[in-house]
Amino acid sequence: AITVAADGKVAEIPKSEKVTEFPDRIAAMRVSPNGKVVLFLKDTGGDENGQIFRMAVDAASGATATALTVQPKTKHTLPSFDDASTRIAFTSNARNGKDMDLYVEDASAPATPTTSRTPALELPGSFSVADFRKDTVLLSEERSNADGDLWLFDVKTKKKTKLTKHALEERYEDAAFSNDGKAVIVATDAGREFMGVVAIDIATGRRTPLVTEPHDVKHLTVHRRDAAVKPEKGTPADTLVYAVNIDGVEEVSFATLTAARKVEKRTPTPLRGFVNDISIAPDGAAAFVAMEASKQPTEISRLDLVAPASAASPVTASDHAGIVEADLVAEELVTVKSFDGKPVSCFLYAKPAVPGEKRPLVLSIHGGPESQAQPSFSPVTQYLVAHGYAVAAPNVRGSVGYGKSFAHLDDKDRREHSVRDLSEVGKFFAERPDIDGKRIALYGGSYGGYMVLAGLTLYPDQWAAGVDIVGIANFRTFLEQTAPYRRALREAEYGSLAKDGELLDHVSPIHNVDKIKAPLMVVHGTRDPRVPVGEAKQIAEAVKARGLPVELLTFDDEGHGIARRKNRLVAYPKVVEFLDANVKNAVAPREPAPPVATPAKTP
């Protein structure tokens, strides 16, 4: 319940009430079109084998959620309701651990092990359910982070039809049926450098552009009416809420469509920052947008979709645990020219420099690689700044947000070009009068962890230290041991074990470990299904054999990243202690002892 004043502004923000109590994280949730039921996914210890749970929306604090799937070693995707809220559709790799098959069942079905279910459709590859209307399931197929397709599956006839046909790589994201069920509205980069919004007519395949910007459209959300509620006269056929990513900052807008799927009106809103989620209320009168900014943790705002002026009012006012916003730092956008003239966008976080002060710098590298450093709220970044560091987050080639061509500039044999970008960024900041060029460290997680290790091996004299969190050290062993349902997706990016073994070995930091000169810290979760913990162990052992300082910190109850508060309170203070000892307070660089052993290349 939210108290709204006569002027449409929120007059009273209610206190949040916790309705679940799990030792593990809830990964994703979805509310039924009739607003009565919520489904969510929960894994165990970060293993990403999400199980499906059901709970009433009006559940009281302490209520028990019902588990709909009971198979801890099986991965499930978030279900989608049909428009009557009576059935759900989801995918699962229960059949063979690799392929994500489709399941369709009653929304009120009791808990059942997935192995006892019969798939509605066996699917070869990585599929998830995008939407479910009447008797048609909209399926999203992902072949890589840059390529996919949309399919239609008729529950009654069991017929599967490809909706998108193309020769070149194309992305299709946030797809949903129009309210009349005759079209699919989706964000795509088909035929464009950037993600736009189109409506695809199901009968003819004709595409109608709805939103085209010289930037990526993200977080597309289509209002979905409850099938039992007849729309009032004058209600738009469809309402879309979306964000436009401009140099990493996302600006929220909404648009209404006519019955002929023409844009009736586009309305910008005052909401600007980093969007986590957009949900539209069942009656279509408002959208709820979860956003954050570099100095502001996530809060939810109510966006009026009916009033002439797009008013936005706060819905939540979170406890900031005594942290004063004025003590935090905002981002500064900096552009660096790389070795071939390509611009590399960076966000710099730093307190105002004291005259004559030369601070240590941490280059914080995002994962992906098809991802982007954006000015979101990062406790780790703010923590480093509070301890006297400047932090720069670069978007080297391979990052998204700067066009399709830029995102492909690090593919396969161009992998190390992105590491060269990193070197150029380091050189740029080393020339600044407020940065000590001899005290620059690399920090990154997942693919960013690989970038840390690659930077230390390819440009060993440039860095004072490295912090690798759940990173890849050896592409061959990574691909051999990553979860089976992920292998094909990652081979599409990095190269295949069958065809590209020599390339995989060439770009693997483990085979250049004898070039490392800087101290290294490695952090990893032992339950990581994406980058197995063996990557951390082999690089730590190899650096130790070099006689260099190395710290290996593992957590038995974590997966791909450090998610639990108790572990974060251990890991990140240790990271700062490591950086203080080897970067901020370092007097002279350490020379490695003669190598004890050099890891042999995998044949």
Side-chain angles (χ1 to χ4, degrees), residues 98-100 123-128 140-143 485 489:
K98 176 185 175 183
D99 298 310
M100 303 296 291
L123 292 165
S126 181
F127 286 80
S128 59
S140 175
E141 179 187 10
E142 184 184 15
R143 286 187 295 276
Y485 61 86
L489 297 176

Side-chain angles (χ1 to χ4, degrees), residues 17 33 68 94 122 201-202 210 275 311 400 407 479 510 538 565 588:
E17 181 181 7
L68 300 187
E122 292 187 357
D201 187 275
I202 293 174
L210 302 176
V275 176
V400 297
L479 289 172
I510 195 68
Q538 62 181 300
R565 180 181 298 171

Side-chain angles (χ1 to χ4, degrees), residues 412 415 475 479 487 490-501 503-504:
K412 295 189 177 180
R415 178 71 46 213
F475 279 102
L479 289 172
R487 184 172 299 125
R490 304 325 297 145
E491 286 190 324
E493 167 68 30
Y494 301 128
S496 73
L497 289 166
K499 299 178 181 178
D500 304 298
L503 172 63
L504 295 173

Side-chain angles (χ1 to χ4, degrees), residues 197-386:
V197 181
V198 302
I200 305 175
D201 187 275
I202 293 174
T204 65
R206 186 171 66 90
R207 300 187 178 197
T208 303
L210 302 176
V211 181
T212 56
E213 298 274 356
H215 307 282
D216 280 340
V217 174
K218 299 180 66 177
H219 311 289
L220 171 65
T221 305
V222 180
H223 172 230
R224 184 178 188 182
R225 298 195 193 105
D226 178 3
V229 178
K230 186 176 181 180
E232 297 180 7
K233 188 176 181 180
T235 300
D238 292 286
T239 300
L240 322 177
V241 184
Y242 57 90
V244 178
N245 177 354
I246 303 174
D247 264 329
V249 178
E250 296 169 355
E251 300 180 357
V252 178
S253 296
F254 67 92
T256 55
L257 306 184
T258 66
R261 276 180 285 285
K262 301 292 184 181
V263 176
E264 184 176 48
K265 184 180 181 182
R266 289 180 57 187
T267 307
T269 81
L271 296 179
R272 186 175 182 273
F274 178 81
V275 176
N276 285 304
D277 184 68
I278 298 174
S279 298
I280 302 178
D283 63 4
F288 293 86
V289 183
M291 295 190 73
E292 59 188 271
S294 54
K295 296 177 62 174
Q296 174 64 60
T298 300
E299 299 287 4
I300 300 173
S301 295
R302 180 185 187 276
L303 180 62
D304 193 331
L305 302 179
V306 178
S310 54
S313 304
V315 172
T316 59
S318 301
D319 176 18
H320 294 169
I323 294 174
V324 180
E325 184 178 325
D327 294 337
L328 307 178
V329 296
E331 76 282 358
E332 174 191 350
L333 182 62
V334 178
T335 301
V336 179
K337 271 193 176 182
S338 194
F339 62 92
D340 57 356
K342 292 283 190 301
V344 175
S345 174
C346 302
F347 290 104
L348 177 66
Y349 303 85
K351 289 185 176 181
V354 176
E357 178 187 18
K358 293 179 77 70
R359 290 168 291 189
L361 172 72
V362 175
L363 288 184
S364 178
I365 312 145
H366 68 70
E370 297 92 345
S371 186
Q372 183 184 23
Q374 295 182 259
S376 58
F377 180 72
S378 169
V380 177
T381 294
Q382 298 292 346
Y383 187 49
L384 287 167
V385 170

